[in-house]
Amino acid sequence: MTNPDHKQINNKQLSRREALLLLGKVGGSAAMLQAAGLFGLFAAPVQAQPELVKLKPLTAGRKTVLILGAGISGLVAAYELGKAGYQCKILEASHRAGGRNLTIRHGDFIDELGNPQFCHFDKDPDLYFNAGPARIPAHHTAILHYCREFAVEMQMFCNYNKNCYTQDDNAFGGKPVRIREYEADTRGFFSELMAKSIQAEAKLDAPFDDIDRQKLIEFCKAYGDLSSDFTYEGSERAGYQSGGILSPGVLKKPRAFADLLQSNFWAGAMHFGEISDQAAALMTPVGGMDKIVDAFLSRLAGKVQLKAQVQKVQLLPQGVEVSYWLDGQLQTEQADYCLNCIPAQLMAGIENNFPADYVGVMRQLQRGKLSKIALQAKERFWEKEQIYSGISWTNQDITQIWYPSHGLFKTKGILLGAYSWDPAISDRFSAMTNQERIAAAITQGSKLHSDYGKYIDQGNSVCWQRMNHMLGCGAVWSEELLKTSFATIQAPVGGHYMVGDQVSYHPGWQEGAVRSAWYAMESIQQQEQQKQRQVAV
Amino acid sequence: MKYLLFWFGVLCSSSVYAETFHADAQYCLVCHGSNAQGNEAISAPNLAILPDWYLSSQIQAFQSGWRGHQTTDAYSKEMMAVAKSMSAEDVKRAIGFITGFQVSKTPETLTGDETHGKTLYQTCAACHGAAAEGNQAMGAPPLAGQYSWYLLRQLQAYRSGQRGAAENDSRGAMMKQIAATLQQDQDLNDLVAYINTLDIQKTNNPKTDIKK
């Protein structure tokens, strides 16, 4: 990549008042964006919930459970209920199990409505991409519980790498800047302004005393790597201009604060790694996220019926009846319980006799629109730019470029050439053919890496709102709907339960799926215990 | 496509639905509902009320880009992509499959001046029929049984020129002219509120068995 031209940026003078107003804007906007769920997900910190599901073995009678959907919630339910002695069967509409836990490799079929694709990546265990979930934070204890129990081999996953780039068409002439440089300079200037503002105050309001005041100034110095007079004059944190090993390191000239603010990086992406679900250290299964699905399937032999598309769900006085298409014929089955993992927006279109308020909530959940584009690179050119794993950011539609956390120094690699959770962007990508999406990803990515297109072999794309049998990714709840209707959809109607990440405050994460399934199973157990008590009385 | 053809072979083996069932057709139900009755959550209209000739003309419209060519209309784009991926044989099978469903509609409660809507509807009746049952000779689809949110979106699309503007789409052009006369949003509301009161009509498909 070319060196950004420092000279073209004029250092504008900011008055202290203007600077403080700007700072307020920086802090306020970032906080606001995070609160609003910047990533299309609920960014509220997740409390560690270490308690695990404990189902007691069934003691009386035979109980049957129909599970609709073989995504993570359905697989968890079939596994746990099976262990407790329930007779389970999963009906899955698609040609594969896993739901949005989808790893794409050589030869795979991507079942997008109107845009079916096959994956032509080379046949190599390192050449894959996780089209759905790709990372697991440590506090997602429920999904990690199964990774541990099934001995799924894990590796660390890097979300945040200071050697990656930030590129913004409105800043630095549209040229990419290393995240380490942007962050060092931004923190430096921010700290200098804070330190000098505090110094200028004769006294701080209580409860701060003079010692606190001095500590606060020292904090600014440490936070921004300021010189002894509390001025930011550049930092080795930004990376040296030259030298540093056999000759003295030469600092880069700091970029002007006003120019740093021209970029939109500070408004969200810069703080991405602070979000509890996205912060280091993260994990991912070696060889693809679907190793978790494989582990469940190997324990559920004969219990998963693929290509079974549900036609009707009927609540019975006792239990539930489900009709489904299989091999061109309508089949009907009854069970004591039904765990329904069908995306609510699709269930709203499937014949049912649910109460009006229950199905009414399903109609109001919005389709999550997320898109990913994966590119196979002939050569791991990013390693020559000292990038090993992590994410580069841009204000173009592709939004992010991910570099693989595995397969270092190998010849080829799979880049995530685009990942957007903005519905408008996802609509633009979904309206394109796969070839057009690849071309767009290469054009936009070329602003971050010169000769980008030269390295790209081929690619695949997954627009979740267009994927067959899903038509969305991570149900979109409005805050108002959560308040008024979450309890309605979470509660059982007779023996019927809606489950999945959609019935959690963490849609779009496997943790939400597992905990939703656990919640429903514990409720089933309570129903059973109650029935036994009634029999005993 | 190889995959889909394989599927077709598997699914058509000696079943009662063999004549009409096709993997592509089952695709239709994912968005349009398990009885082809439509699904507002996906913005997919009621297909079960539509006769074969109209379904055929609209798939053609999507394939040729008459519908869905406007970049602002993401829903039409979705259908356009599916229509373009269908062969003539796929279309035939899909229509056979869809017209085999009983006609149904999820009830809607609407607020609108139905009396005013009835007055406005007199213009529509010339083509769409007094009971909004549709008229093949005029190329006018049945409207009774269609969802108000869909009718509203189409009227708005005709009015704004997103629909009915394509060259060779003479019937769309006619509808575009008429929609342009409905300037007030309240008129549109009143009109669909009236259409919502009309009973679903039996379509011209002999297999159709009306479900009340």
Side-chain angles (χ1 to χ4, degrees):
Chain A
M1 85 150 245
T2 50
N3 266 330
D5 184 3
H6 298 236
K7 283 176 194 164
Q8 64 175 7
I9 296 150
N10 297 318
N11 196 347
K12 293 171 196 154
Q13 290 293 316
L14 285 174
S15 75
R16 178 172 159 255
R17 185 179 165 75
E18 283 167 345
L20 285 174
L21 279 170
L22 268 172
L23 290 176
K25 207 170 152 190
V26 172
S29 300
M32 202 168 70
L33 273 164
Q34 291 193 22
L38 175 64
F39 301 98
L41 309 167
F42 293 91
V46 176
Q47 295 290 313
Q49 294 176 316
E51 74 284 5
L52 302 172
V53 70
K54 286 188 195 93
L55 294 184
K56 295 192 182 83
L58 265 185
T59 49
R62 181 177 181 274
K63 293 290 165 190
T64 53
V65 185
L66 275 171
I67 297 164
L68 312 182
I72 290 297
S73 61
L75 295 170
V76 164
Y79 173 68
E80 293 293 348
L81 289 168
K83 277 201 303 187
Y86 293 79
Q87 307 288 311
C88 297
K89 182 174 186 175
I90 301 183
L91 301 175
E92 166 56 50
S94 168
H95 64 289
R96 51 170 282 278
R100 276 164 287 145
N101 179 322
L102 170 62
T103 304
I104 306 286
R105 301 180 185 81
H106 171 87
D108 284 346
F109 175 60
I110 301 173
D111 192 4
E112 178 183 332
L113 289 171
N115 194 12
Q117 303 164 42
F118 283 90
C119 177
H120 299 293
F121 294 162
D122 293 2
K123 197 170 182 177
D124 180 314
D126 278 324
L127 298 179
Y128 64 84
F129 94 100
N130 290 318
R135 49 203 162 194
I136 307 174
H139 59 271
H140 285 193
T141 51
I143 187 70
L144 285 173
H145 160 72
Y146 291 107
C147 295
R148 183 181 290 110
E149 181 172 336
F150 301 155
V152 174
E153 192 186 345
M154 304 294 279
Q155 63 171 74
M156 302 317 288
F157 177 92
C158 176
N159 230 7
Y160 173 70
N161 177 351
K162 279 186 182 281
N163 273 11
C164 295
Y165 300 110
T166 164
Q167 184 273 333
D168 192 311
D169 287 347
N170 303 315
F172 311 114
K175 289 177 182 167
V177 174
R178 298 275 187 183
I179 288 173
R180 71 166 59 258
E181 195 183 342
Y182 186 95
E183 291 189 345
D185 287 355
T186 310
R187 282 171 62 161
F189 284 115
F190 180 86
S191 302
E192 180 182 327
L193 285 164
M194 283 299 287
K196 290 184 172 167
S197 305
I198 298 162
Q199 278 182 315
E201 300 288 336
K203 274 211 175 307
L204 288 176
D205 290 342
F208 296 103
D209 59 19
D210 283 349
I211 296 169
D212 291 336
R213 182 169 165 275
Q214 199 48 46
K215 281 183 179 168
L216 203 47
I217 293 169
E218 289 302 324
F219 169 81
C220 293
K221 186 165 177 271
Y223 187 75
D225 200 17
L226 305 182
S227 64
S228 53
D229 67 345
F230 305 105
T231 303
Y232 180 67
E233 294 164 343
S235 165
E236 65 79 29
R237 294 173 186 177
Y240 286 127
Q241 184 79 27
S242 62
I245 302 206
L246 295 180
S247 62
V250 177
L251 293 183
K252 286 179 184 166
K253 189 186 170 201
R255 289 163 190 269
F257 199 17
D259 294 320
L260 292 163
L261 292 176
Q262 284 295 306
S263 161
N264 208 37
F265 189 60
W266 55 264
M270 182 171 160
H271 319 294
F272 176 71
E274 306 295 324
I275 296 170
S276 63
D277 284 334
Q278 305 288 3
L282 299 159
M283 287 160 269
T284 195
V286 173
M289 191 58 84
D290 67 353
K291 298 294 175 189
I292 299 176
V293 176
D294 292 347
F296 275 109
L297 289 177
S298 69
R299 289 159 177 86
L300 294 171
K303 290 186 178 177
V304 184
Q305 177 63 61
L306 297 177
K307 301 169 190 171
Q309 186 173 327
V310 173
Q311 163 72 15
K312 196 199 291 192
V313 180
Q314 294 289 300
L315 307 173
L316 306 175
Q318 296 290 324
V320 181
E321 183 179 272
V322 177
S323 305
Y324 57 97
W325 292 101
L326 184 67
D327 292 342
Q329 298 199 48
L330 271 179
Q331 312 276 346
T332 299
E333 284 197 42
Q334 294 186 357
D336 297 302
Y337 296 98
C338 175
L339 297 190
N340 190 339
C341 324
I342 296 174
Q345 69 270 17
L346 297 185
M347 192 56 226
I350 293 173
E351 189 176 341
N352 62 69
N353 63 346
F354 296 152
D357 63 333
Y358 192 55
V359 76
V361 183
M362 297 177 201
R363 290 204 191 98
Q364 291 176 72
L365 286 175
Q366 300 291 306
R367 296 158 68 182
K369 294 181 171 181
L370 287 88
S371 297
K372 284 185 179 180
I373 300 172
L375 305 170
Q376 177 172 295
K378 283 183 268 195
E379 192 185 324
R380 298 170 74 95
F381 62 87
W382 54 92
E383 294 184 352
K384 286 194 278 187
E385 297 177 36
Q386 301 170 14
I387 295 173
Y388 300 89
S389 79
I391 299 174
S392 283
W393 293 78
T394 166
N395 71 337
Q396 305 171 89
D397 277 2
I398 56 170
T399 313
Q400 296 186 327
I401 295 176
W402 291 24
Y403 313 90
S405 289
H406 63 277
L408 307 188
F409 304 136
K410 294 207 166 181
T411 308
K412 295 193 177 188
I414 306 295
L415 286 170
L416 195 66
Y419 177 22
S420 173
W421 50 90
D422 178 323
I425 293 175
S426 216
D427 275 343
R428 286 198 281 276
F429 279 132
S430 69
M432 299 179 190
T433 63
N434 185 51
Q435 287 70 27
E436 290 167 342
R437 292 172 194 164
I438 304 308
I442 290 174
T443 305
Q444 295 178 24
S446 299
K447 287 195 182 173
L448 287 92
H449 297 281
S450 51
D451 296 327
Y452 194 54
K454 195 180 85 183
Y455 298 109
I456 306 303
D457 259 338
Q458 56 197 290
N460 282 106
S461 52
V462 171
C463 293
W464 283 105
Q465 74 267 32
R466 305 279 304 123
M467 291 294 279
N468 197 10
H469 305 300
M470 292 183 241
L471 275 291
C473 180
V476 181
W477 286 85
S478 68
E479 272 189 47
E480 185 57 28
L481 193 65
L482 270 177
K483 270 186 219 154
T484 58
S485 308
F486 184 79
T488 308
I489 206 82
Q490 192 187 35
V493 176
H496 180 271
Y497 291 81
M498 286 305 289
V499 294
D501 60 302
Q502 59 187 348
V503 192
S504 79
Y505 279 76
H506 232 55
W509 288 91
Q510 296 177 100
E511 186 71 4
V514 177
R515 293 210 174 258
S516 164
W518 286 3
Y519 181 91
M521 289 187 286
E522 279 167 0
S523 170
I524 287 176
Q525 179 161 275
Q526 281 167 16
Q527 287 205 36
E528 282 304 308
Q529 285 166 348
Q530 209 168 348
K531 278 180 200 162
Q532 282 180 21
R533 275 197 296 274
Q534 281 164 359
V535 171
V537 170
Chain B
M1 285 312 285
K2 271 181 198 162
Y3 174 84
L4 296 178
L5 291 173
F6 164 76
W7 249 96
F8 176 59
V10 172
L11 291 163
C12 281
S13 54
S14 70
S15 77
V16 285
Y17 284 88
E19 275 179 27
T20 53
F21 189 80
H22 181 249
D24 283 354
Q26 199 173 327
Y27 262 45
C28 308
L29 305 186
V30 174
C31 294
H32 289 278
S34 64
N35 293 312
Q37 83 283 13
N39 183 359
E40 184 177 4
I42 304 293
S43 296
N46 194 338
L47 300 184
I49 61 155
L50 299 174
D52 51 4
W53 58 266
Y54 186 73
L55 290 168
S56 167
S57 75
Q58 293 311 295
I59 290 179
Q60 206 179 2
F62 279 115
Q63 285 178 332
S64 63
W66 294 358
R67 292 188 70 175
H69 66 290
Q70 288 288 342
T71 49
T72 55
D73 187 353
Y75 308 113
S76 297
K77 287 258 179 225
E78 297 194 290
M79 187 59 217
M80 187 171 73
V82 174
K84 283 188 169 173
S85 73
M86 294 170 81
S87 69
E89 196 58 28
D90 290 338
V91 171
K92 211 172 128 190
R93 284 198 198 95
I95 291 174
F97 182 62
I98 292 302
T99 50
F101 281 94
Q102 293 186 337
V103 176
S104 64
K105 182 191 176 187
T106 310
E108 293 182 289
T109 2
L110 293 178
T111 49
D113 182 347
E114 290 160 16
T115 315
H116 181 225
K118 188 176 181 176
T119 312
L120 291 170
Y121 185 76
Q122 298 322 304
T123 315
C124 315
C127 295
H128 290 276
E133 74 277 21
N135 181 345
Q136 182 172 6
M138 301 299 295
L143 304 176
Q146 193 53 273
Y147 295 98
S148 58
W149 50 265
Y150 180 75
L151 293 176
L152 271 176
R153 188 176 291 154
Q154 296 314 307
L155 283 166
Q156 282 155 356
Y158 277 120
R159 205 168 60 171
S160 70
Q162 287 204 9
R163 196 175 166 186
E167 214 182 325
N168 301 326
D169 184 10
S170 55
R171 279 170 174 154
M174 194 193 297
M175 189 59 217
K176 183 172 173 277
Q177 276 186 331
I178 292 163
T181 66
L182 295 162
Q183 283 304 321
Q184 304 298 319
D185 285 347
Q186 192 53 49
D187 289 345
L188 300 186
N189 277 332
D190 294 346
L191 184 58
V192 298
Y194 171 69
I195 295 171
N196 186 47
T197 65
L198 301 173
D199 287 335
I200 301 179
Q201 300 293 308
K202 190 180 175 76
T203 72
N204 67 344
N205 193 302
K207 279 185 290 183
T208 304
D209 181 15
I210 298 167
K211 184 167 133 186
K212 281 286 174 188

